[in-house]
């Protein structure tokens, strides 16, 4: 009767001993049948029900069909590292870091995102760089060791820089930052892709022969001032003569980069060339060929027009010689706007508004507008009656204006 408990204890001790003999260690506490079957201990990877994602390392791609022993060499699973280099030999020898997933996936070792990798590193593979073999820049002991290079152009192109003779980059003191002159999207070093934004090559400046402007032995000391290249053009110009006229030698003040120096657009804001003044013949105003001392007063050009005007006679009427006081720059001197109310006597406002029909109603001498009459309309009888109590009353037009300068009673 005492033998039964002893047998039970023996069985329990036997089971405990068998459990302790598991090659997977004490950390794996799952049912053996999740991986093994009654036919033996061989694992059928297609039928195993063990969920590897519970280990924080999901089996994807090529890892799904990998023999467990390839990673778990001791069969003790709970201390297996999950970094790539623990299982995979770094054929790049740390030249690209130790994070394999930056370039590789679990499907295979082929790399399809080289451009994206380069862009994330700050050096996009564009232009000629797109078709360059990796080892042309990343030169190492083998084709799999990608020695790191800097992102500066000179890191790869110092030999090109030194060997260039047309122009000689070293002698000219050119920048070693190739992108200052060459487009990174270009496929070669030709001048077609040359960036000349510091001095835009537009119009007549759009030339391919650098030697037209540059001393090809030294590109660094050329001046951007127009006269540096165009002094001969300035001196030789006769229509108009730029030298005698004292024109500025900054060509851009009047000219664009259009070929042939035309059209020229003079910045004439100091004397706006509008309407009748908008003429292309500079000599019409600058008659002596000297553009630096031409007066801006109207009468300097229009004295003859002033003297010959008869309707009305400006000279006889003592009109001001400042044409702008009555005229705009419209051709033909019309329309003319004479400020009679403000300068002389109100005839468009006050008591005299609509009381006259022609200038000659008051200015009876069309050859002398300084002569005027009031007593033609204001008869002597009515005027005398209105001034019975006014001392020193005189029936004269000048007396009328003296006492009634604004036309009021």
């Amino acid at each position: 009767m005492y033998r039964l408990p002893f047998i039970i204890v023996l069985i329990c001790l036997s089971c405990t001993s068998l459990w302790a003999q598991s090659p997977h260690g004490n950390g794996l506490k799952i049912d053996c049948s999740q991986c093994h079957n009654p036919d033996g201990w061989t694992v059928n990877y297609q039928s195993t029900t063990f969920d590897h994602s519970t280990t924080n390392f999901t089996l994807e791609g090529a890892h799904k069909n990998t023999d467990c022993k390839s990673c778990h060499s001791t069969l003790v699973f709970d201390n297996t590292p999950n970094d790539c280099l623990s299982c995979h030999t770094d054929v790049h020898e740390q030249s690209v870091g130790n994070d394999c997933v930056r370039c590789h996936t679990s499907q295979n070792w082929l790399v399809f995102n080289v451009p994206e990798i380069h862009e994330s590193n700050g050096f996009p593979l564009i232009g000629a760089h797109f078709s360059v073999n990796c080892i042309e820049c990343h030169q190492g002991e083998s084709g799999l060791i990608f020695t790191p290079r800097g992102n500066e152009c000179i890191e790869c192109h110092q030999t090109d820089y030194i060997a260039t003779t047309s122009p000689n980059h070293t002698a000219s003191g050119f920048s070693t930052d190739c992108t200052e002159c060459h487009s990174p999207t270009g496929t070669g070093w030709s001048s077609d892709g040359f960036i000349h934004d510091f001095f835009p090559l537009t119009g007549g400046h759009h030339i391919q022969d650098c030697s037209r402007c540059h001393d090809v032995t030294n590109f660094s000391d050329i001046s951007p001032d127009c006269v540096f290249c165009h002094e001969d053009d300035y001196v030789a110009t006769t229509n108009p003569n730029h030298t005698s006229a004292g024109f500025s030698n900054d060509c851009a003040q009047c000219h664009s980069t259009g070929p042939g120096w035309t059209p020229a657009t003079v910045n004439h804001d100091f004397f706006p060339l509008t309407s009748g003044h908008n003429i292309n013949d500079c000599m019409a105003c600058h008659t002596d060929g000297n553009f630096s001392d031409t007066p801006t007063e109207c009468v300097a050009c229009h004295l003859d027009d002033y003297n010959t005007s008869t309707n009305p006679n400006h000279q006889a009427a003592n009109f001001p010689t400042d044409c702008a006081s009555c005229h705009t720059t419209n051709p033909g001197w019309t329309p003319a706007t004479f400020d009679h109310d403000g300068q002389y006597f109100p005839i468009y406002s006050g008591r005299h508004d609509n009381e006259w029909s022609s200038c000659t109603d008051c200015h009876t001498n069309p050859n002398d507008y300084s002569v005027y009459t009031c007593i033609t309309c204001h008869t002597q009888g009515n005027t005398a009656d209105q001034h019975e109590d006014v001392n020193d009353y005189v029936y004269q037009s000048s007396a009328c204006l003296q006492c009634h300068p604004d036309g009021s009673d």
Side-chain angles (χ1 to χ4, degrees):
M1 184 163 179
Y2 294 100
R3 296 179 60 185
L4 181 58
F6 175 77
I7 294 173
I8 295 174
V9 172
L10 182 62
I11 293 173
C12 290
L13 291 174
S14 299
C15 291
T16 303
S17 177
L18 289 173
W19 182 265
Q21 294 177 3
S22 170
H24 305 308
N26 298 327
L28 186 65
K29 300 183 184 300
I30 63 172
D31 190 338
C32 300
S33 62
Q34 289 191 28
C35 299
H36 302 282
N37 57 59
D39 296 333
W41 296 109
T42 303
V43 178
N44 184 342
Y45 301 108
Q46 302 299 324
S47 62
T48 181
T49 60
F50 177 68
D51 184 4
H52 208 284
S53 63
T54 60
T55 66
N56 295 322
F57 190 90
T58 304
L59 297 182
E60 298 176 333
H63 290 141
K64 287 183 177 180
N65 300 318
T66 301
D67 188 343
C68 301
K69 293 181 181 180
S70 296
C71 297
H72 304 288
S73 58
T74 66
L75 297 183
V76 178
F77 301 146
D78 58 356
N79 60 357
T80 303
N82 59 8
D83 58 292
C84 303
L85 295 183
S86 295
C87 289
H88 302 291
T89 301
D90 182 8
V91 295
H92 306 305
E93 298 185 7
Q94 295 288 302
S95 60
V96 291
N98 57 7
D99 186 8
C100 303
V101 297
R102 288 182 58 230
C103 304
H104 302 283
T105 68
S106 60
Q107 303 298 324
N108 53 57
W109 293 107
L110 297 179
V111 180
F112 299 101
N113 62 335
V114 172
E116 290 79 3
I117 296 170
H118 260 268
E119 189 164 353
S120 66
N121 288 339
F123 193 89
L125 297 180
I126 55 178
H129 293 131
F130 183 77
S131 56
V132 173
N133 192 296
C134 302
I135 61 175
E136 291 188 46
C137 296
H138 301 286
Q139 298 174 357
E141 297 178 2
S142 74
L144 295 176
I145 299 177
F146 302 119
T147 305
R149 304 299 298 266
N151 288 348
E152 303 300 327
C153 304
I154 199 67
E155 298 286 346
C156 283
H157 296 296
Q158 186 171 17
T159 302
D160 299 304
Y161 178 91
I162 295 173
T164 302
T165 58
S166 180
N168 189 311
H169 286 32
T170 305
S172 299
F174 280 2
S175 169
T176 55
D177 181 4
C178 307
T179 60
E180 288 187 12
C181 301
H182 301 279
S183 171
T185 60
T187 56
W189 301 105
S190 69
S191 59
D192 291 339
F194 189 77
I195 301 174
H196 213 283
D197 290 348
F198 55 89
F199 188 92
L201 299 181
T202 59
H205 289 152
H206 187 56
I207 53 180
Q208 299 299 318
D209 183 7
C210 303
S211 63
R212 291 274 302 278
C213 298
H214 295 279
D215 173 2
V216 295
T217 62
N218 190 345
F219 281 71
S220 60
D221 62 355
I222 188 170
S223 170
D225 297 332
C226 303
V227 72
F228 187 86
C229 286
H230 296 295
E231 185 174 14
D232 290 343
D233 300 300
Y234 178 90
V235 172
T237 301
T238 58
N239 184 28
N241 189 310
H242 286 32
T243 305
S244 62
F247 278 4
S248 168
N249 56 21
D250 180 8
C251 309
Q253 286 189 9
C254 301
H255 300 278
S256 67
T257 57
W261 303 102
T262 56
T265 54
V266 179
N267 184 359
H268 219 282
D269 290 345
F270 57 90
F271 189 91
L273 299 180
T274 58
S275 297
H277 287 154
N278 189 16
I279 53 180
N280 292 320
D281 183 10
C282 303
M283 305 306 293
C285 296
H286 304 284
T287 55
D288 60 356
N290 191 334
F291 290 75
S292 59
D293 61 358
T294 304
T296 57
E297 295 81 8
C298 303
V299 73
C301 285
H302 298 295
L303 181 60
D304 289 342
D305 299 300
Y306 177 90
N307 290 334
T308 57
S309 295
T310 58
N311 184 29
N313 188 315
H314 287 33
Q315 190 174 22
N318 289 324
F319 280 2
T321 55
D322 180 12
C323 308
S325 62
C326 299
H327 300 278
T328 67
T329 58
N330 287 333
W333 303 101
T334 57
T337 55
F338 185 69
D339 187 11
H340 201 290
D341 287 25
Q343 293 181 336
Y344 298 98
F345 186 82
I347 60 174
Y348 297 101
S349 61
R351 293 290 300 274
H352 290 82
D353 186 24
N354 294 324
E355 295 297 328
W356 59 279
S357 59
S358 172
C359 297
T360 56
D361 289 350
C362 297
H363 299 282
T364 55
N365 184 354
N367 294 319
D368 187 355
Y369 272 70
S370 64
V371 177
Y372 61 91
T373 177
C374 298
I375 58 179
T376 300
C377 295
H378 301 282
T379 60
Q380 186 172 9
N382 290 333
T383 303
D385 291 341
Q386 295 172 357
H387 293 79
E388 289 179 355
D389 298 328
V390 178
N391 294 330
D392 300 326
Y393 161 70
V394 180
Y395 184 60
Q396 292 178 353
S397 295
S398 58
C400 297
L401 180 62
Q402 183 176 359
C403 292
H404 307 283
D406 60 359
S408 61
D409 293 337

